[in-house]
Amino acid sequence: GWHEEIDTRYGETLVKQQGLEMGHSSKVPGFKSNAETRITQPSKNKHKQEEETNKLNKHAHTAFRGGAGMAQYMQDRRGDISFATKEVLRKASAPTGLDDQNLKRIARYVKGVPRCVLDFPWAPMPEYLDVLVDSDWSGESETRKSTSGGAACLGVELKHWCATQATISLSSAEAENKAAVRGLIEGLYMTNLMRQQGVDLKLRIWSDSSAAIGQCARL
């Protein structure tokens, strides 16, 4: 078999760029946005709350975009930071102190988990390309938009994605259905690509939403 791994120097550069060479690591790359709660509820430390909600100055903004760009490059081969990076990139145009903290959390996680190896063992060609999809309904507290996430697997993961849905879903079923459609698009692209190489694969979509499965089955 063979394996693929992004150069660890990119992670080291991100950690250094964020000034965390001597800092502690983090067990998770991010968490669901709780900016709405922090703004609406009174804080015991008013000065800290102001730092979190104030926009970054020009110098800090430039540094933030540089770090976010580094994380964006790494996420193509590191699905473990995909969601956290997507959330950081959403705020690249006008980041605040809280967004800067979220970027630093990604850097701390990468410091603790510097390597992420994609291992592809030799095996017979599977009959199916399996696409696993999911969504968090109204996960973004500010816009109430949902996120579509998924992974295409040919025995092992070949590709992953994590993207904010373009429109607001009015139910969890609608959000899950949009995630399934995104997975279908990615799956059709990959099966067509394989067909051009002389390999015919059947496409199979996996979802934990009975409503999304029912809608897709009726179509």
Side-chain angles (χ1 to χ4, degrees):
W2 62 283
H3 69 270
E4 183 180 9
E5 178 183 6
I6 191 170
D7 196 327
T8 56
R9 286 179 295 181
Y10 292 104
E12 293 170 359
T13 301
L14 175 62
V15 172
K16 184 177 180 180
Q17 190 254 10
Q18 293 298 310
L20 300 172
E21 300 98 319
M22 304 300 294
H24 62 275
S25 60
S26 174
K27 294 183 179 180
V28 293
F31 47 85
K32 271 197 172 184
S33 174
N34 60 352
E36 183 181 72
T37 303
R38 294 194 181 200
I39 293 173
T40 56
Q41 293 184 355
S43 173
K44 294 181 179 180
N45 191 333
K46 185 176 181 181
H47 178 68
K48 183 178 180 181
Q49 186 183 33
E50 290 177 351
E51 288 183 346
E52 291 177 347
T53 56
N54 287 341
K55 292 184 179 180
L56 300 180
N57 58 41
K58 185 177 180 180
H59 176 74
H61 188 180
T62 301
F64 178 88
R65 286 188 297 178
M70 186 70 66
Q72 183 180 25
Y73 179 80
M74 294 172 58
Q75 75 166 347
D76 287 339
R77 292 179 179 85
R78 293 203 55 157
D80 52 348
I81 66 171
S82 185
F83 177 80
T85 301
K86 186 265 295 184
E87 289 294 289
V88 164
L89 290 171
R90 287 180 51 239
K91 304 299 182 65
S93 60
T96 64
L98 179 60
D99 301 320
D100 191 51
Q101 290 180 26
N102 291 338
L103 177 59
K104 283 180 167 54
R105 180 177 289 271
I106 296 175
R108 290 192 180 98
Y109 173 79
V110 171
K111 181 179 181 180
V113 188
R115 300 184 64 195
C116 182
V117 181
L118 301 180
D119 187 31
F120 298 92
W122 291 112
M125 180 63 68
E127 182 182 1
Y128 290 92
L129 173 68
D130 291 309
V131 178
L132 294 80
V133 298
D134 200 2
S135 172
D136 68 333
W137 176 41
S138 191
E140 294 182 2
S141 59
E142 297 173 359
T143 64
R144 295 305 178 188
K145 289 184 178 180
S146 309
T147 297
S148 293
C153 303
L154 195 61
V156 295
E157 180 191 327
L158 293 178
K159 182 181 181 182
H160 62 266
W161 57 89
C162 181
T164 301
Q165 295 178 0
T167 56
I168 298 175
S169 298
L170 301 182
S171 67
S172 60
E174 183 181 353
E176 294 282 0
N177 194 46
K178 290 178 181 177
V181 171
R182 171 65 187 269
L184 176 62
I185 294 171
E186 296 285 353
L188 288 174
Y189 165 74
M190 297 191 70
T191 51
N192 287 333
L193 190 65
M194 294 294 291
R195 189 172 296 112
Q196 294 176 14
Q197 308 302 317
V199 180
D200 287 323
L201 293 172
K202 297 178 181 178
L203 179 59
R204 188 162 53 183
I205 309 292
W206 296 84
S207 172
D208 62 354
S209 169
S210 57
I213 292 173
Q215 291 180 20
C216 293
R218 285 192 292 274
L219 292 176

